[in-house]
Amino acid sequence: SQTIHQWPATLVQPVGSPLSLECTVEGTSNPNLYWYRQAAGRGLQLLFYSVGIGQISSEVPQNLSASRPQDRQFILSSKKLLLSDSGFYLCAWSVRPAGELFFGEGSRLTVL
Amino acid sequence: GQQLNQSPQSMFIQEGEDVSMNCTSSSIFNTWLWYKQDPGEGPVLLIALYKAGELTSNGRLTAQFGITRKDSFLNISASIPSDVGIYFCAGLPLTGGTSYGKLTFGQGTILTVHP
């Protein structure tokens, strides 16, 4: 069966520090991978998605970047965090053609 | 772009009551999904709907894909305290290409169940 894991689960970082959140998927090949952010409140904002290794599409201009160095690995990064980067970050995967998304456990980022 | 209007935004109910929430859109969707999110966790897929008019159940949950392809509802019967959480609808646009697999999410319905 397929599983998705992301880490770290919780992160407290000072403004201006770098960020790296990692996500891996097991049990499937060539998945679509996504990074979402959920700010205080509840809406899910799509940040990045990837249909293959090295292929990244950005949905919202921002202080963040994403990379996919391996088929089942997706990384969310920032060189210098801003206060507004605080939030709950969710990695997700899907397998064509159904489009159903399966989410990871989430990473809570607090920027101070 | 597509938008989903999910209502109600929040619900406060007594244990045992039935719950109904819905999502509407001005655009046509090919797939409707319903998720539940517990506090501090990622959303979990509850029900997936693929055909207009489809009615699907998962235990006490029932969801329907609207015949116009522009709406969906989720019902929860005989609510229990563990039903507490945020419920999201999500739709997959009819067109493929660059929008393939990119869901549009509703803003969520916060459900509180009083014992």
Side-chain angles (χ1 to χ4, degrees):
Chain A
S1 64
Q2 301 89 354
T3 58
I4 179 170
H5 296 291
Q6 61 178 107
W7 67 94
T10 305
L11 200 58
V12 180
Q13 293 286 103
V15 170
S17 64
L19 171 73
S20 180
L21 299 179
E22 295 195 30
C23 172
T24 59
V25 180
E26 298 293 335
T28 186
S29 297
N30 198 27
N32 283 356
L33 295 174
Y34 307 80
W35 279 109
Y36 282 83
R37 178 168 59 200
Q38 188 176 31
R42 58 243 185 154
L44 292 167
Q45 180 187 34
L46 179 61
L47 302 176
F48 301 95
Y49 73 96
S50 171
V51 299
I53 296 174
Q55 301 179 61
I56 308 295
S57 295
S58 174
E59 288 294 298
V60 182
Q62 58 207 321
N63 187 41
L64 302 170
S65 62
S67 62
R68 186 170 177 173
Q70 300 180 43
D71 181 45
R72 291 171 291 179
Q73 183 184 23
F74 206 24
I75 299 171
L76 183 69
S77 304
S78 174
K79 292 182 179 179
K80 288 185 178 181
L81 285 169
L82 305 172
L83 287 174
S84 58
D85 291 325
S86 293
F88 191 54
Y89 289 84
L90 290 157
C91 182
W93 69 274
S94 71
V95 176
R96 295 169 290 272
E100 300 165 2
L101 277 188
F102 299 94
F103 288 89
E105 310 96 326
S107 298
R108 172 75 60 190
L109 171 64
T110 302
V111 182
L112 302 176
Chain B
Q2 298 94 349
Q3 289 187 335
L4 290 182
N5 299 310
Q6 184 171 350
S7 66
Q9 293 186 17
S10 60
M11 301 183 72
F12 299 84
I13 62 170
Q14 291 293 127
E15 182 177 359
E17 290 183 1
D18 296 342
V19 173
S20 183
M21 59 192 79
N22 68 84
C23 275
T24 60
S25 173
S26 58
S27 304
I28 292 174
F29 286 89
N30 203 32
T31 298
W32 283 95
L33 307 173
W34 284 93
Y35 289 86
K36 182 195 177 193
Q37 185 179 27
D38 291 327
E41 299 182 13
V44 173
L45 182 64
L46 298 174
I47 292 179
L49 303 161
Y50 302 105
K51 296 194 306 183
E54 180 180 357
L55 184 71
T56 297
S57 293
N58 178 6
R60 294 178 294 106
L61 278 61
T62 302
Q64 185 160 28
F65 191 144
I67 199 72
T68 65
R69 293 180 172 267
K70 294 182 179 181
D71 62 341
S72 177
F73 73 76
L74 174 70
N75 288 342
I76 305 173
S77 62
S79 59
I80 59 178
S82 61
D83 290 334
V84 165
I86 305 176
Y87 291 80
F88 291 99
C89 64
L92 186 66
L94 186 61
T95 56
T98 58
S99 66
Y100 194 90
K102 287 164 49 180
L103 295 176
T104 299
F105 281 87
Q107 287 302 301
T109 296
I110 299 175
L111 178 63
T112 303
V113 180
H114 295 288

